[in-house]
Amino acid sequence: MPPALRLLISAAIAYATWWLIVIAQAFFPIFKSVFIEEAIAWALALGLGAAFWIVSNPDAGFDLKAIIGTTLKSGLICFLLGFFGPMILAPDANQGPMIGFFTGPVGLVLGGLYAFIRALLRRPAAPEES
């Protein structure tokens, strides 16, 4: 993958992550200090952007297709469980399918984290120079 495309995708991931975290913090404020919430949003956004930059390097030895595939599959499975699960388990609930809109992104993030850690553990060790 060309470095310019890697940089563009890494920046897009960081930007999207920052916005999602800011929106989530608006609905679910955890800290009373806006500075702490903003610092957390920036740290996570830059961390995910940097993780994609590292993983997408062709010389790094990561299987990018497997990481993206696992991430998308886990996000889709969590979305479908959250969307259709309440309709099956509680058909008279008035806002049941809306749970999928929360479980989908959570599954996407957790699946990506799982895939990234799995790729780090499965990566072949660098040969030692003597």
Side-chain angles (χ1 to χ4, degrees):
M1 179 179 301
L5 182 61
R6 285 177 56 210
L7 181 62
L8 181 67
I9 294 173
S10 296
I13 288 172
Y15 182 71
T17 302
W18 181 81
W19 268 111
L20 286 173
I21 292 170
V22 166
I23 290 170
Q25 288 174 343
F27 285 108
F28 306 106
I30 298 171
F31 302 102
K32 293 184 180 184
S33 171
V34 176
F35 176 75
I36 294 174
E37 290 181 348
E38 195 68 27
I40 290 171
W42 278 106
L44 290 174
L46 293 175
L48 284 176
F52 181 80
W53 176 263
I54 292 168
V55 167
S56 63
N57 185 4
D59 299 331
F62 290 105
D63 187 10
L64 185 60
K65 289 181 184 177
I67 293 173
I68 292 173
T70 302
T71 302
L72 294 177
K73 288 175 194 173
S74 65
L76 179 66
I77 289 170
C78 288
F79 172 75
L80 292 176
L81 286 174
F83 191 83
F84 292 110
M87 286 193 276
I88 295 169
L89 298 175
D92 33 329
N94 58 352
Q95 295 180 347
M98 287 180 57
I99 296 173
F101 296 111
F102 295 103
T103 59
V106 169
L108 195 73
V109 170
L110 292 179
L113 183 62
Y114 165 74
F116 181 68
I117 292 172
R118 185 183 67 187
L120 282 176
L121 295 176
R122 289 186 177 180
R123 190 170 75 168
E128 294 183 18
E129 296 181 28
S130 36

